Amino acid sequence: MDQSMRGLIGLSGTEWQDLCMRVLRVQYGADLVPVPDTGGDHGLEAYTLQGHLFQCYSPEEPLSYQKRYEKQRDKCTRDVGKFIDKADKLKKLFGEHVKINRWILLCPYIDNKDLVAHCASQTKRIRDANLEYADPDIHVICQTMEDYELSYKRVVNAQLARMHLPPLSEPDYSSVDSDDVDKMREKLGKVSRLRDESRRQDYVRRLLQSYLNSQEYRAYIKDHYTEIHALLESELDDLEQRLVMEFSLEEGPPAALLQKVIQETESRVRSCAPDTTLSDSRTLALGKVAEWLMSCPLDFYEELAS
């Protein structure tokens, strides 16, 4: 899976449906027919004039490999059942000129081949029902955003082009756990230039301000720029793995490692959201570095005094 798409795992049902609809509009244009939820649940989000029907589904994560499959399987079974049982309503919905030839379950992530086999069984189920609005050669299939990669990237790029972050509120330092602040202060004490108490206190204060501001920014991005949020969180999660597996093995002085991590984090942020100002990018990056200092992925070997 493309790294930018891995972050889509765990989107809420509403977020996932909103993303799917925007991608499908890019993919199919005027041939896409959205089906509003009002007036009853038809078991579908949209269909195309060429006969592709879409049901978007994002189960609540985290889930095990098996549990994710079971939820996807059961969703497919239920909504294929609606496709069969709601014949009178669906005949009116599709009219005389649309025959559904693809019933598609669109999910953020599919990692179990048994879901493909289950879709095959649901294909037989629909064909056996001899529905007027279903093509005799209909197939039930499962897909992800990888099947719509170009359209997905166009949606993401459109979001990037218009991304603007709001003014920040006054930081509430009392919301940060004092034990976490002590961890940060202790780790930064290993950096020679920050052994001076007043200098370190100022550095900690600035990091905490960035941490609180970045939390506010990331919440706003999640609510208003779903695709950018998914990409950003995926990149930062990947960088956290590097902190644990690679950066912790480096033997340079703590100051050099800290500077390297800050630069790498800011670079990742800029790659995900190039339209943000340098100041906002730095705030997002420093906020994440502060989080790592407090939650332990980032630590330093003790630097001997010279």
Side-chain angles (χ1 to χ4, degrees):
M1 176 186 286
D2 184 286
Q3 185 65 26
S4 68
M5 295 185 187
R6 189 169 295 277
L8 300 176
I9 302 169
L11 290 182
S12 71
T14 300
E15 291 170 336
W16 175 244
Q17 182 178 337
D18 176 69
L19 171 61
C20 289
M21 292 305 298
R22 280 184 284 137
V23 170
L24 292 174
R25 283 189 178 98
V26 171
Q27 182 82 13
Y28 294 103
D31 286 342
L32 184 75
V33 182
V35 179
D37 292 336
T38 53
D41 180 10
H42 294 83
L44 69 150
E45 259 74 65
Y47 66 92
T48 70
L49 300 181
Q50 292 83 17
H52 291 187
L53 177 152
F54 296 94
Q55 177 57 282
C56 311
Y57 179 57
S58 176
E60 186 175 345
E61 298 281 352
L63 292 169
S64 67
Y65 165 84
Q66 180 64 22
K67 195 65 178 177
R68 183 181 299 110
Y69 157 68
E70 290 172 1
K71 284 183 173 290
Q72 292 168 333
R73 176 200 65 196
D74 294 347
K75 176 65 173 175
C76 181
T77 302
R78 285 194 304 272
D79 287 341
V80 164
K82 293 175 184 177
F83 183 73
I84 295 170
D85 296 338
K86 295 181 180 291
D88 290 341
K89 291 184 177 179
L90 293 179
K91 277 192 292 186
K92 293 178 182 178
L93 183 69
F94 299 129
E96 298 179 0
H97 306 294
V98 174
K99 296 281 188 180
I100 302 301
N101 54 66
R102 293 291 184 274
W103 192 103
I104 299 168
L105 183 68
L106 194 51
C107 299
Y109 189 48
I110 295 169
D111 58 350
N112 193 319
K113 65 181 182 299
D114 289 342
L115 185 61
V116 179
H118 183 69
C119 286
S121 73
Q122 296 304 297
T123 295
K124 182 178 186 304
R125 184 183 174 196
I126 293 178
R127 290 184 182 185
D128 288 348
N130 294 314
L131 303 168
E132 288 183 37
Y133 46 86
D135 189 280
D137 293 326
I138 189 173
H139 287 274
V140 175
I141 60 176
C142 47
Q143 292 184 332
T144 69
M145 279 298 152
E146 289 186 289
D147 295 288
Y148 303 91
E149 183 175 1
L150 293 179
S151 295
Y152 169 73
K153 288 183 176 179
R154 283 181 61 188
V155 169
V156 172
N157 289 336
Q159 289 283 78
L160 289 172
R162 64 181 179 87
M163 180 177 173
H164 298 286
L165 297 175
L168 290 162
S169 57
E170 189 67 25
D172 178 14
Y173 295 100
S174 66
S175 64
V176 185
D177 190 285
S178 59
D179 289 340
D180 291 336
V181 178
D182 289 340
K183 287 178 191 174
M184 181 194 298
R185 187 178 291 109
E186 180 183 354
K187 292 176 183 179
L188 291 173
K190 298 174 185 178
V191 179
S192 59
R193 295 294 299 275
L194 297 178
R195 288 204 179 98
D196 177 78
E197 185 63 32
S198 62
R199 182 180 292 172
R200 189 184 345 156
Q201 189 69 18
D202 181 64
Y203 199 85
V204 168
R205 182 186 61 78
R206 291 174 184 272
L207 278 177
L208 285 177
Q209 183 178 18
S210 292
Y211 169 72
L212 292 168
N213 288 343
S214 73
Q215 293 291 96
E216 187 174 340
Y217 275 161
R218 286 163 67 187
Y220 184 87
I221 292 169
K222 181 178 181 181
D223 289 342
H224 295 83
Y225 303 98
T226 304
E227 301 79 34
I228 298 175
H229 175 263
L231 179 57
L232 179 62
E233 296 302 314
S234 179
E235 284 292 319
L236 294 176
D237 286 346
D238 179 68
L239 186 54
E240 183 172 324
Q241 291 299 312
R242 287 195 63 200
L243 285 179
V244 175
M245 302 304 297
E246 297 177 37
F247 290 167
S248 61
L249 301 178
E250 297 198 7
E251 298 181 352
L257 177 56
L258 179 60
Q259 186 174 28
K260 181 177 181 179
V261 170
I262 290 173
Q263 290 174 344
E264 176 74 9
T265 308
E266 189 170 1
S267 175
R268 296 284 185 112
V269 170
R270 293 292 296 169
S271 70
C272 297
D275 192 49
T276 54
T277 66
L278 290 174
S279 175
D280 290 345
S281 295
R282 174 57 63 93
T283 294
L284 286 163
L286 289 177
K288 192 61 181 179
V289 171
E291 181 182 325
W292 286 328
L293 285 167
M294 291 188 286
S295 61
C296 291
L298 178 59
D299 201 351
F300 313 110
Y301 291 110
E302 193 76 45
E303 186 176 13
L304 297 177
S306 55

